[in-house]
């Protein structure tokens, strides 16, 4: 009886194995959670952006190399010019040093008529003018040679920095790609995630980048004109200390100002927190977020309040530092009060509890 029962159970197990689907998840494959899947897609976007930066640095490297080669050719040519002008200038200086020019001037006293004297004087003036041109030509050619050499040295330093940056970003790219490949290799949803990465990268390229540029361009213009707005409205200015006026603006008033400047900016709202600023917006199916702070940038002639961006998000995915740096090179987000009111310079700026406080000084 026991033997028959065991045989029957084995038959059932064998039949179950045969009827199971041919493709099952192996022990090594894992089904990622929603957060894990998002992290993989995030990594794909980061790789996409860093790859662009690596390509840009590679092009910059090639451009600097070409510039260095041209500088070297210009220096060779300029060396020849310097040598030619040096010889001419040397002859002139020797003539003055040995007294040859003095003897020429003595010819004025040998002429027999006023007309001859005028002609001789014109002739001497031509000699002196040519002497001056020769000396000036040498000075200018030498200055140009010095400038070319300085430019060449700067280009070489820039090339070294670019190469170091290129190697750093390439290593970062390779590491991220290896991590992503390993994670996808053991994921049961690899094909789905790869499709999501491709879709997100394409959406970022087609919709995200143009929209971010629109926002940042509009913000750049609005920031520049902010001092003119706050100095016209009495409610923002505290003049209790004439020498040290203070501008205080809430994030509510700041948003109202932005929304009045541009229709696109009506979809964007800033929030002032302690030492940080957060901005969020949405247009159609694209959501953006910026995070950063106001910093004082000191300059010899006038100071600037700059909005420094630390974080950018596109549809909930964070963009890498290379993207932020690229955008910040293209768009300056800040304002200089002294450009609007030339006797007011900014000395400090801070944000706290929904307000931004800008302290100024009177400089007559």
């Amino acid at each position: 009886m026991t033997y028959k029962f065991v045989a029957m159970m084995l038959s059932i197990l064998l039949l179950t194995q045969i009827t199971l689907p041919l493709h099952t998840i192996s022990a090594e494959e894992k089904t990622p959670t929603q957060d894990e899947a998002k992290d993989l897609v995030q990594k794909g976007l980061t790789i996409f952006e860093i790859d662009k930066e690596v390509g840009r640095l590679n092009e910059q490297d090639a451009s600097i190399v070409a510039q260095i080669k041209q500088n070297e050719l210009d220096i060779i040519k300029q060396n020849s010019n310097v040598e030619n002008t040096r010889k001419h200038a040397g002859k002139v200086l020797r003539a003055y040093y040995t007294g040859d020019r003095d003897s020429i001037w003595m010819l004025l006293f040998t002429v027999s008529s006023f007309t001859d004297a005028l002609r001789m004087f014109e002739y001497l003036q031509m000699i002196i003018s040519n002497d001056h041109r020769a000396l000036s030509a040498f000075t200018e050619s030498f200055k140009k040679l010095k400038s070319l050499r300085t430019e060449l040295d700067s280009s070489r330093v820039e090339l070294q920095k670019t190469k170091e940056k290129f190697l750093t970003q390439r290593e970062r790219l390779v590491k991220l790609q290896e991590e992503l490949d390993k994670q996808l290799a053991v994921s049961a949803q690899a094909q789905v995630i790869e499709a999501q990465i491709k879709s997100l990268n394409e959406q970022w390229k087609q919709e995200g980048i143009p929209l971010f540029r629109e926002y940042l361009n509009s913000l750049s213009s609005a920031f520049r004109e902010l001092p003119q707005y706050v100095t016209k409205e009495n409610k923002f200015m505290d003049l209790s200390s004439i020498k040290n006026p203070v501008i205080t603006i809430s994030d509510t008033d700041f948003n109202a100002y932005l929304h009045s400047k541009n229709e696109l900016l009506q979809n964007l709202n800033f929030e002032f927190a302690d030492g940080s600023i957060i901005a969020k917006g949405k247009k159609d199916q694209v959501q953006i977020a910026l995070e950063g702070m106001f910093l004082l940038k000191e300059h010899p002639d006038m100071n600037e309040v700059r909005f420094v961006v630390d974080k950018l998000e596109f549809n909930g995915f964070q963009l890498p530092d290379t993207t932020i740096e690229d955008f910040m090179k293209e768009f300056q987000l800040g304002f200089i009060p002294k450009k609007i009111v030339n006797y007011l310079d900014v000395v400090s700026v801070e944000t706290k509890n929904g307000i931004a406080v800008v302290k100024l000084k009177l400089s007559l």
Side-chain angles (χ1 to χ4, degrees):
M1 181 69 179
T2 304
Y3 173 76
K4 288 183 178 179
F5 177 75
V6 171
M8 183 178 67
M9 291 300 294
L10 287 172
S11 299
I12 293 171
L13 285 171
L14 182 60
L15 182 62
T16 305
Q17 290 259 335
I18 294 171
T19 56
L20 279 174
L22 292 176
H23 176 71
T24 58
I25 298 173
S26 69
E28 294 181 355
E29 286 184 326
K30 295 188 298 182
T31 301
T33 64
Q34 187 173 355
D35 287 343
E36 287 172 340
K38 184 178 179 180
D39 287 342
L40 292 175
V41 177
Q42 168 70 73
K43 196 165 288 184
L45 178 61
T46 303
I47 289 169
F48 179 78
E49 282 297 287
I50 294 177
D51 184 55
K52 276 171 45 182
E53 176 68 4
V54 167
R56 188 189 67 78
L57 288 170
N58 194 37
E59 290 178 0
Q60 185 177 342
D61 185 293
S63 175
I64 296 173
V65 167
Q67 183 180 341
I68 287 174
K69 287 181 179 178
Q70 185 60 50
N71 277 354
E72 289 171 342
L73 291 173
D74 290 342
I75 285 173
I76 292 171
K77 182 179 178 181
Q78 192 59 27
N79 266 323
S80 177
N81 290 339
V82 167
E83 190 57 32
N84 291 334
T85 55
R86 189 201 305 274
K87 288 177 181 178
H88 197 174
K91 290 179 181 178
V92 171
L93 291 173
R94 280 193 299 273
Y96 281 100
Y97 182 75
T98 58
D100 289 349
R101 290 295 185 263
D102 293 338
S103 61
I104 292 176
W105 279 100
M106 293 299 293
L107 292 173
L108 279 173
F109 299 101
T110 65
V111 297
S112 57
S113 68
F114 182 71
T115 303
D116 290 340
L118 287 177
R119 287 174 182 170
M120 181 60 70
F121 187 73
E122 288 176 357
Y123 172 68
L124 291 172
Q125 278 190 317
M126 288 174 60
I127 293 174
I128 293 170
S129 295
N130 286 332
D131 289 346
H132 285 171
R133 277 197 294 270
L135 294 172
S136 296
F138 171 69
T139 303
E140 289 303 316
S141 62
F142 186 77
K143 283 182 180 178
K144 187 174 181 181
L145 178 61
K146 187 178 179 181
S147 175
L148 284 169
R149 284 175 174 167
T150 302
E151 188 178 337
L152 178 61
D153 290 339
S154 299
S155 295
R156 283 173 173 161
V157 171
E158 186 181 357
L159 178 63
Q160 184 60 34
K161 289 180 180 178
T162 304
K163 283 185 179 295
E164 289 173 0
K165 195 172 182 181
F166 171 79
L167 291 173
T168 299
Q169 295 300 341
R170 190 175 66 177
E171 288 172 8
R172 182 182 176 190
L173 178 64
V174 170
K175 185 178 178 181
L176 280 170
Q177 189 65 60
E178 286 177 351
E179 289 176 3
L180 180 61
D181 290 342
K182 287 178 181 178
Q183 290 170 307
L184 288 174
V186 297
S187 173
Q189 301 294 323
Q191 290 183 343
V192 174
I193 292 171
E194 285 176 345
Q196 290 175 348
I197 290 172
K198 185 177 180 181
S199 176
L200 178 65
N201 290 347
E202 189 63 25
Q203 188 186 21
W204 165 244
K205 182 180 177 182
Q206 298 298 330
E207 300 177 34
I209 294 175
L211 183 59
F212 264 86
R213 283 206 168 102
E214 281 187 69
Y215 270 115
L216 292 172
N217 186 52
S218 298
L219 282 173
S220 179
S221 176
F223 270 109
R224 282 197 305 270
E225 297 171 9
L226 182 62
Q228 190 172 9
Y229 171 73
V230 294
T231 51
K232 281 185 177 180
E233 295 285 339
N234 292 331
K235 68 175 183 177
F236 300 127
M237 294 285 292
D238 179 3
L239 299 174
S240 55
S241 173
I242 298 298
K243 290 185 177 179
N244 300 104
V246 177
I247 296 173
T248 303
I249 184 169
S250 68
D251 48 19
T252 302
D253 287 325
F254 184 72
N255 287 323
Y257 163 71
L258 291 181
H259 297 168
S260 70
K261 298 299 293 181
N262 189 293
E263 185 178 350
L264 177 67
L265 294 180
Q266 293 174 7
N267 301 317
L268 189 67
N269 286 290
F270 280 75
E271 180 184 340
F272 297 156
D274 289 342
S276 67
I277 302 170
I278 300 169
K280 294 181 179 179
K282 182 179 180 181
K283 183 181 179 184
D284 300 327
Q285 301 302 313
V286 177
Q287 293 181 342
I288 74 162
L290 300 85
E291 189 172 330
M293 64 181 72
F294 281 139
L295 284 181
L296 179 67
K297 297 286 184 179
E298 295 183 345
H299 302 290
D301 50 348
M302 59 184 70
N303 296 335
E304 177 187 7
V305 175
R306 181 79 60 82
F307 179 49
V308 179
V309 178
D310 299 318
K311 187 176 179 181
L312 283 181
E313 284 189 3
F314 165 68
N315 281 352
F317 292 94
Q318 191 170 336
L319 296 159
D321 55 329
T322 55
T323 307
I324 296 173
E325 184 180 351
D326 194 35
F327 275 137
M328 292 304 100
K329 284 179 182 175
E330 187 176 353
F331 303 100
Q332 294 284 328
L333 302 180
F335 56 90
I336 303 175
K338 203 168 184 179
K339 279 192 174 181
I340 305 299
V341 185
N342 59 12
Y343 51 83
L344 287 178
D345 201 6
V346 60
V347 293
S348 71
V349 59
E350 64 175 332
T351 56
K352 55 183 180 180
N353 301 322
I355 60 170
V357 180
V358 181
K359 294 182 180 179
L360 308 168
K361 70 174 179 180
L362 191 66
S363 55
L364 298 175

